[in-house]
Amino acid sequence: MSKPSSKSKEFFIDIDDETQNVNQQSGYVWEEEYKRSWDVLQEDEDGSLKRSIDHLQNRLKRKRLLRDTSTIRRGIIRNMFLIIDLSEAMMEKDLRPSRLDLTLSYAEQFILEFFDQNPISQLGIIVSKGGVAERLTGLSGNPMDNIIALKNKKNIDVDGEPSLQNSLELARSSLIHTPTHGSREILLIMGSLTSCDPGDIYESIEDLVKDNVRVSIVGLSAEVQICKYICKRTKGTYGVVLNEAHFKDLLFEIIPPPPVSVAQSNSKLVMMGFPSSVNQSSPYLCACHNKPVTSGYTCARCNSNICDIPTECPICELTLVSSPHLARSYHHLFPVENYTEVPWNSATTTHCFACQISFPSLSERTLPKNLETSSGRYNCQKCNQHFCIDCDVFVHEAIHNCPGCLATSQNNLKSLMGQVNGNFENYENYEKMNLS
């Protein structure tokens, strides 16, 4: 790793001082009070632990749901590079089956989920090993191009040490050509504690800040000060993996789009085209890959043949999307509010509003002493309907629309249409009376 400049050392001193102040105020982990975690499990009147286990499982499910749902400006057009460390440190087996195998497995899941939640975005892959960085795929809107590149065994051979500076510079050189209305992001999965850099990495960090590139890092070994500094300067996120489940949680926290930057907020309207689908019996050449295909799309501006959407037309550079893509990206701007837990003293419903599965009921013999505990029901603050934990997860992670609110809006619309029709009939009768 390159030697930091005197100006960079001042930043390190500030960060260390802040860390020491926090530790002095809050104390260390080993100084905390000893907790007996097995006391959380309590038997009911029949000697069963099922209720306690279900309660713990529901807590774990909702922990991943509770996020910031405030209405803020987010960039739904994202340009991201996924950088994967392929150094010898990735062969460690502290994460089963190994760091490399688990990283590749989670990377495929991340790519599929990223394009499902951000269909009009683009993603590319860069690997770093032997002190160099290599670009496997460029920015593309097709998830299968990235997954096929990861499954190629020639691309995942480990060697030497990674180069943090070369990886960031390669990603930055590709992102600076993207339009300003889209976000520029880098997600780095790093398992090594060292880096082989050819120059001053702090100059590269300042270039990232100047070009509005957001860097988020997931560490597999331990916290590295330079990684923490990069994420702090570029307003990204930095987390160190605790176990396999925590690794997946840190990756999937990057999927929701971040707030817009200053450069994005100054952007104007974006021109997009809605291509028409084409199916022909005889093959024709596509403009994107120059390969014979029989089905695809036609550009709305220049009538060029495109294999798949969303993408940018290679001829006229028009952004080509479809209406379902825009609809799936739109829900990030208006997220569903977090459901609140319903205590037993307010548990008046018997069935889930969405799936109609009956809620657990307690008789007076098995009624808990503390009526403020959760009853397995979760309430929407807008429509006041109760849902089970599975529907709560499905609403916030899949459909992104509350069934109770949709039903209420439809009923209100039907009532309004009925009033309009009734007023129209009364008006017709009034006209007939006047004519007679």
Side-chain angles (χ1 to χ4, degrees):
M1 185 175 293
S2 61
K3 183 179 180 181
S5 60
S6 59
K7 182 179 179 180
S8 303
K9 290 182 180 179
E10 296 179 0
F11 286 106
F12 279 120
I13 293 174
D14 293 339
I15 295 175
D16 291 339
D17 291 341
E18 292 177 1
T19 305
Q20 292 177 2
N21 293 334
V22 173
N23 290 335
Q24 291 175 1
Q25 295 176 3
S26 60
Y28 296 98
V29 176
W30 56 82
E31 294 178 350
E32 294 181 358
E33 183 181 357
Y34 183 72
K35 298 180 181 180
R36 299 172 50 162
S37 57
W38 53 85
D39 288 341
V40 177
L41 296 177
Q42 297 180 359
E43 297 180 354
D44 55 12
E45 297 293 336
D46 299 330
S48 175
L49 297 176
K50 184 177 183 302
R51 189 184 307 157
S52 298
I53 294 175
D54 292 341
H55 180 70
L56 292 177
Q57 290 178 348
N58 293 344
R59 288 287 184 183
L60 182 61
K61 290 180 180 179
R62 283 188 55 81
K63 184 180 179 181
R64 292 176 292 183
L65 289 178
L66 298 178
R67 57 174 64 97
D68 184 16
T69 58
S70 58
T71 304
I72 58 177
R73 297 184 62 182
R74 297 180 182 271
I76 60 177
I77 301 178
R78 308 172 67 185
N79 302 288
M80 176 183 290
F81 264 104
L82 174 62
I83 302 177
I84 300 178
D85 178 11
L86 291 184
S87 63
E88 295 179 353
M90 295 296 289
M91 297 306 296
E92 297 289 338
K93 298 186 180 297
D94 51 354
L95 298 175
R96 297 296 179 180
S98 66
R99 291 182 182 177
L100 179 61
D101 295 335
L102 188 64
T103 298
L104 295 177
S105 176
Y106 283 168
E108 294 182 10
Q109 300 179 28
F110 172 80
I111 292 172
L112 293 175
E113 188 68 17
F114 176 83
F115 281 105
D116 181 71
Q117 300 296 329
N118 306 273
I120 59 177
S121 301
Q122 292 185 325
L123 185 140
I125 299 178
I126 294 176
V127 296
S128 179
K129 59 182 178 179
V132 298
E134 178 186 358
R135 181 169 51 197
L136 293 186
T137 60
L139 293 175
S140 172
N142 188 355
M144 297 310 300
D145 293 343
N146 300 301
I147 293 178
I148 292 174
L150 286 179
K151 289 184 176 180
N152 190 353
K153 294 184 178 180
K154 296 181 180 180
N155 298 331
I156 58 175
D157 296 333
V158 298
D159 181 33
E161 295 182 352
S163 178
L164 187 60
Q165 184 181 14
N166 288 336
S167 302
L168 296 177
E169 285 290 346
L170 181 59
R172 186 186 68 87
S173 62
S174 300
L175 289 173
I176 59 177
H177 300 290
T178 58
T180 56
H181 60 257
S183 63
R184 301 170 180 175
E185 304 175 52
I186 296 176
L187 173 59
L188 172 62
I189 303 176
M190 190 170 182
S192 176
L193 295 176
T194 58
S195 175
C196 182
D197 299 329
D200 189 358
I201 192 173
Y202 293 95
E203 296 180 359
S204 301
I205 296 174
E206 295 304 320
D207 293 337
L208 292 171
V209 175
K210 182 178 63 175
D211 296 329
N212 296 314
V213 179
R214 184 191 303 266
V215 181
S216 299
I217 302 178
V218 177
L220 305 183
S221 298
E223 183 176 294
V224 182
Q225 186 65 33
I226 187 61
C227 295
K228 183 178 180 181
Y229 177 74
I230 292 173
C231 297
K232 182 178 181 180
R233 287 287 294 139
T234 59
K235 299 181 181 180
T237 59
Y238 179 51
V240 180
V241 171
L242 301 178
N243 48 45
E244 290 82 355
H246 188 230
F247 185 12
K248 186 175 182 179
D249 292 340
L250 290 178
L251 281 180
F252 278 59
E253 286 178 358
I254 312 297
I255 292 179
V260 296
S261 60
V262 177
Q264 290 177 266
S265 60
N266 296 330
S267 300
K268 299 181 180 180
L269 297 178
V270 181
M271 183 175 294
M272 293 185 178
F274 296 91
S276 56
S277 178
V278 176
N279 291 309
Q280 296 183 3
S281 58
S282 58
Y284 59 91
L285 293 178
C286 67
C288 47
H289 301 93
N290 200 21
K291 295 181 179 179
V293 293
T294 57
S295 61
Y297 298 88
T298 302
C299 178
R301 175 186 288 173
C302 63
N303 294 328
S304 300
N305 297 320
I306 310 297
C307 291
D308 199 6
I309 55 173
T311 186
E312 188 177 273
C313 179
I315 306 300
C316 62
E317 299 182 352
L318 177 66
T319 303
L320 303 177
V321 297
S322 64
S323 55
H325 292 154
L326 290 178
R328 289 212 307 271
S329 301
Y330 186 73
H331 74 264
H332 291 296
L333 305 179
F334 301 96
V336 181
E337 295 291 337
N338 294 324
Y339 292 167
T340 58
E341 297 183 0
V342 179
W344 278 110
N345 52 12
S346 301
T348 57
T349 54
T350 59
H351 293 78
C352 173
F353 179 82
C355 63
Q356 294 298 312
I357 294 179
S358 58
F359 287 123
S361 59
L362 293 179
S363 59
E364 295 182 358
R365 182 176 62 86
T366 59
L367 194 66
K369 297 180 180 180
N370 186 10
L371 297 179
E372 298 296 330
T373 58
S374 176
S375 62
R377 299 162 174 82
Y378 302 93
N379 179 45
C380 175
Q381 297 292 331
K382 293 183 177 180
C383 61
N384 292 325
Q385 299 293 345
H386 291 180
F387 301 90
C388 63
I389 181 62
D390 295 327
C391 291
D392 186 6
V393 175
F394 185 68
V395 166
H396 288 86
E397 291 188 352
I399 61 177
H400 303 284
N401 286 290
C402 177
C405 296
L406 292 178
T408 303
S409 61
Q410 290 179 0
N411 293 334
N412 293 337
L413 180 61
K414 290 180 180 178
S415 176
L416 179 61
M417 293 300 297
Q419 294 178 5
V420 172
N421 293 333
N423 294 333
F424 183 74
E425 292 177 356
N426 294 334
Y427 178 76
E428 285 185 340
N429 296 331
Y430 176 77
E431 289 292 331
K432 290 179 181 179
M433 292 176 60
N434 290 338
L435 292 175
S436 62

